[in-house]
Amino acid sequence: MRDQDGWYSGVPAHVFLRRRERVLEELGDGAMILPAAPILYRSRDSQLPYRPDSELFYLTGFTEPEALLVLRGFADEERALLFVRPRDPAAEQWSGSRLGPERARERFGVDAAHPIGELDDRLPKLLAHARRIHFRLGRRRSVENLVIQALEEARSRGSRKGRGPRSVVDPGEILDEMRLRKGPEEIAALREAVRVTVEGFRAALTAAGPGRGEWQLQAELEAAFRREGAQGPAFATIVGSGTNACTLHYVDNSDELGPGDLVLLDAGAEVRMYAGDITRTFPVGGTFSPAQRAVYEVVEEARAAAVQAVRPGVTVRDVHDAAVRILTEGLMELGVLSGSVDELIGRKAHRRYFPHRTSHWLGLDTHDPGDYIRDGEHRRLEAGMVLTVEPGLYFVPASAQEPDGAPEADHPYEGIGVRIEDDVLVTSDGAEVLSRALPTEADEIVEMVGGQGFIQ
Ligand code: GLY
Ligand code: MN
Ligand code: MN
């Protein structure tokens, strides 16, 4: 792994400091504990590539495992502390250099840093005067036991001393809200993640052709991600050809591309911890069949309408509704649904063909946190929020339907799956499509695949 200033560069230390100060203010008389992500094993003693915890990264920029941040809003001193792995030349020869407590304190501007081995001894004392502890339960049993210890001590001594923790709150209660509104450094990282994602798509699209494998498109895409400086994919790449496009989280990528197939490619590069997330659907042979094109045009129109709806003051629900209206009208034009459009929307008739939502927040996590509904109200978009717009239509083949499900209507779309996904930044007066460099219009997509004139 490169130095801390390498992969995760571009964000000055004062940005993390400012974020911590804001959390400390919001904590009031509470404390927050954020452990590093665990080291995960893929089999026996082979580790999965380490992915730092998004929340700990958001507040420190620190990316080593076996670390923990303590924030103490109630305290006059030692308000921000880090526990980190101690220097250890022998261990560092195996798994790379460690910053160690002294350098971690200097570099990350925390008030104190200690070896992680001192956590059991120090943490209960550090929490003794917090009224609330912001900590995610059910994740890290060893740290959770220390939180429970602090709560139990407060319960037994609290009535005499009148202080101590009484409740545990999820850190997301504070952090999710902050992370919803992206700062300039975050938007810069997202732009780069989307740029690299677009490069990956270009590589994969130009490599497509009959007889090639879904896995080969994945290889081209992910090679471009690494070549362009991404850490790798932000989530498992989906290359679904033919009916595989109807499986929303298809990740086997093990089929050959048939000459008449569409391919649904959904992927995102992770750059400096931030995720891109784009989907394009294109014909393997460079030509849409009439049925494929008809479905594609409906989804593309829904994408454009939903993107058009994004601006400050509207809700994610409004964006979804804009897509659903076009998809429903389109399903009627395709002859799949019939009736009145409002009645069909009212009973969510689209759901059989569009079973997911149109948008999710995008950031350090592909599905970034943040409540879509707050205090019973749909949240209104604000400048600085970043969301995906990803309508789709999926005509699951009859053979894959529930045995007791309604028989598939008589239409020529069976087995077709189309999704088109863009990443959108809410601006002060509208929206900026971060992924606009990658065309969505059917003819432009065909041109990218390089297959105009291809006769099937
Ligand atoms: N690939 C995950 C998503 O689009 O939400
Ligand atoms: Mn996606
Ligand atoms: Mn998405």
Side-chain angles (χ1 to χ4, degrees):
M1 184 182 268
R2 271 198 245 167
D3 189 77
Q4 296 289 338
D5 288 328
W7 281 0
Y8 308 109
S9 66
V11 186
H14 69 79
V15 171
F16 298 108
L17 188 66
R18 231 189 300 126
R19 291 178 189 158
R20 288 200 297 273
E21 278 166 0
R22 166 115 183 259
V23 173
L24 283 163
E25 207 171 291
E26 296 212 19
L27 279 171
D29 53 7
M32 185 180 284
I33 304 169
L34 294 177
I39 294 169
L40 299 175
Y41 291 83
R42 68 183 307 283
S43 87
R44 202 161 149 76
D45 60 352
S46 299
Q47 296 177 1
L48 284 166
Y50 186 67
R51 203 308 183 148
D53 178 76
S54 295
E55 291 177 324
L56 179 63
F57 177 83
Y58 183 73
L59 292 184
T60 61
F62 193 50
T63 55
E64 285 185 28
E66 299 180 272
L68 182 140
L69 174 71
V70 185
L71 294 177
R72 308 196 312 152
F74 61 92
D76 294 327
E77 48 194 40
E78 300 213 338
R79 284 162 68 77
L81 301 93
L82 263 177
F83 287 84
V84 302
R85 299 182 302 186
R87 299 298 309 275
D88 179 342
E92 287 176 46
Q93 192 191 355
W94 285 93
S95 51
S97 68
R98 302 172 169 191
L99 211 52
E102 280 96 68
R103 289 191 297 171
R105 188 179 56 75
E106 280 165 33
R107 186 169 303 183
F108 296 105
V110 288
D111 303 319
H114 304 290
I116 189 77
E118 296 179 13
L119 186 69
D120 290 15
D121 189 37
R122 289 183 184 268
L123 190 62
K125 292 186 200 115
L126 287 168
L127 298 175
H129 297 295
R131 280 305 275 176
R132 284 174 315 285
I133 301 174
H134 289 249
F135 174 71
R136 184 149 305 132
L137 292 170
R139 288 277 178 86
R140 307 304 298 277
R141 204 38 62 95
S142 59
V143 182
E144 194 165 310
N145 286 341
L146 299 174
V147 171
I148 291 168
Q149 191 182 324
L151 287 165
E152 281 178 349
E153 276 173 25
R155 197 155 50 223
S156 58
R157 288 183 306 112
S159 55
R160 293 183 197 281
K161 302 224 173 171
R163 303 185 72 180
R166 291 301 174 97
S167 60
V168 176
V169 184
D170 193 276
E173 194 64 19
I174 292 174
L175 296 178
D176 292 0
E177 281 298 300
M178 288 173 64
R179 287 176 56 190
L180 250 181
R181 298 159 182 91
K182 271 68 180 176
E185 306 79 11
E186 299 191 275
I187 292 170
L190 279 163
R191 280 188 199 285
E192 181 63 5
V194 172
R195 183 194 70 76
V196 174
T197 305
V198 168
E199 288 307 313
F201 271 75
R202 287 192 206 286
L205 261 68
T206 46
R212 304 219 66 193
E214 293 171 343
W215 64 95
Q216 289 170 324
L217 269 56
Q218 177 187 357
E220 297 297 339
L221 175 113
E222 294 181 3
F225 283 1
R226 292 295 282 143
R227 211 163 32 233
E228 293 292 323
Q231 283 128 297
F235 54 89
T237 298
I238 296 169
V239 188
S241 65
T243 58
N244 294 335
C246 297
T247 303
L248 298 179
H249 286 166
Y250 174 81
V251 291
D252 287 352
N253 303 342
S254 55
D255 280 354
E256 255 184 31
L257 314 182
D261 283 350
L262 289 182
V263 183
L264 184 155
L265 179 52
D266 181 350
E270 187 176 70
V271 173
R272 301 201 299 268
M273 294 279 287
Y274 285 80
D277 182 10
I278 296 179
T279 306
R280 292 292 183 267
T281 308
F282 53 92
V284 170
T287 310
F288 284 101
S289 73
Q292 290 168 345
R293 190 170 187 115
V295 174
Y296 189 93
E297 301 279 7
V298 171
V299 177
E300 167 57 5
E301 195 189 333
R303 184 208 60 83
V307 165
Q308 199 64 38
V310 176
R311 61 182 165 275
V314 309
T315 68
V316 172
R317 171 73 185 271
D318 296 328
V319 175
H320 181 63
D321 287 349
V324 164
R325 179 159 290 273
I326 301 290
L327 293 176
T328 305
E329 288 171 359
L331 285 164
M332 292 171 70
E333 280 161 28
L334 294 173
V336 174
L337 293 179
S338 56
S340 97
V341 65
D342 288 323
E343 182 267 330
L344 290 169
I345 290 173
R347 64 178 173 86
K348 300 186 190 331
H350 62 274
R351 274 210 176 154
R352 177 161 177 184
Y353 309 100
F354 178 43
H356 58 82
R357 305 293 294 187
T358 304
S359 301
H360 56 80
W361 309 121
L362 185 68
L364 284 167
D365 295 307
T366 304
H367 293 171
D368 220 34
D371 295 335
Y372 296 91
I373 297 175
R374 193 109 174 132
D375 304 324
E377 300 266 320
H378 289 280
R379 179 192 296 280
R380 296 195 179 278
L381 296 179
E382 298 169 31
M385 293 179 175
V386 179
L387 66 159
T388 65
V389 170
E390 48 180 306
L393 284 177
Y394 315 92
F395 297 90
V396 179
S399 58
Q401 297 274 344
E402 294 287 321
D404 54 354
E408 193 61 37
D410 183 22
H411 61 60
Y413 309 113
E414 189 176 313
I416 294 177
V418 174
R419 178 164 64 255
I420 311 174
E421 176 175 27
D422 274 330
D423 302 333
V424 183
L425 166 69
V426 185
T427 61
S428 56
D429 58 356
E432 180 188 338
V433 180
L434 300 176
S435 46
R436 64 185 178 280
L438 198 61
T440 52
E441 207 269 316
D443 288 334
E444 288 178 88
I445 279 284
V446 161
E447 201 172 315
M448 280 192 77
V449 182
Q452 320 97 295
F454 189 96
I455 307 299
Q456 288 179 47

